[in-house]
Amino acid sequence: MPHPLVVRLGTTRAFTRIAPHVLPRCDLLVHRLTRGRLLPSRLFVDTIMLTTTGHRSGRTRTTPLCAHQDRDGTWIVVASNFGRSRDPAWSTNLLHDPRATVTTHARAWPVIARQLTTHEKQQQRPRILLALPVYDTYAARAGRYIRVFCLTPVTAQPTDRALFT
C-alpha cells in the first residue's frame, strides 16, 4: 500500500494536470533504457506495462498502469485516466481486442482482458483500491463510468521472447 503522503499528492489538481503528461513518458523512457528492469512509478504504486493493439491503427501501444496482482495471477487495472473526463485509449483498445501483454520486472505474460460489470466492481472494490488508492477521487472528478479490467494470464509462465531487442 502506498504511503499516505503519496495518496494525498495523487489527489491534488496540480498532480492530475501535470502527471498524465510527465509520468507515462518518464516510465516508458526508463523502462526502455533499463531493458524492463526499472519503472519509476513502481517506487510509489504497483505498476505494470500493458501492451495493447490500437483498434484503428493496428499498431502495438504500451502504457504504464497502476495495477494489482492477486494470488491467482490475475491483474486488476483501472481506466481512470487520472480522473479526466475521457476514457484512456488503452481501455478502448482492450474493448476491441482483449488480447494484450503485461510486462513487469522484465518478464512478459500474454493476457486476456475482461471488463468488470458494475456488480463485479463492487465485489472487487478492495482490489481496485489496492491498484489505485485514489480511485474514489478520480471517479468523482471524471464524472463518467470508469472501466475496470481483469487481466487473466493465458499461460502460467511468462513468454520467452526477448522484450527489448
Side-chain angles (χ1 to χ4, degrees), residues 50 73-75 77 94 97-102 109-115 149-155:
L50 180 69
T74 62
W75 284 273
V77 290
L94 286 179
D97 183 357
R99 296 170 298 172
T101 302
V102 166
W109 283 266
V111 295
I112 298 293
R114 184 178 61 78
Q115 184 178 354
F149 292 87
C150 179
L151 307 176
T152 304
V154 175
T155 61

Side-chain angles (χ1 to χ4, degrees), residues 107-163:
R107 301 177 90 184
W109 283 266
V111 295
I112 298 293
R114 184 178 61 78
Q115 184 178 354
L116 299 184
T117 65
T118 302
H119 179 69
E120 289 172 321
K121 278 176 62 173
Q122 292 169 351
Q123 289 179 322
Q124 295 294 325
R125 183 168 170 72
R127 284 184 70 192
I128 291 169
L129 291 175
L130 286 172
L132 187 65
V134 294
Y135 172 80
D136 293 328
T137 302
Y138 286 1
R141 199 173 286 164
R144 63 178 167 83
Y145 179 83
I146 292 185
R147 300 169 180 163
V148 178
F149 292 87
C150 179
L151 307 176
T152 304
V154 175
T155 61
Q157 297 296 318
T159 59
D160 292 332
R161 68 176 175 82
L163 295 175

Side-chain angles (χ1 to χ4, degrees), residues 52-61 86-97 147:
T52 60
T53 302
H55 77 280
R56 288 186 186 155
S57 69
R59 295 183 189 167
T60 58
R61 306 286 186 197
R86 296 181 64 194
D87 291 309
W90 64 264
S91 70
T92 304
N93 291 344
L94 286 179
L95 292 177
H96 288 271
D97 183 357
R147 300 169 180 163

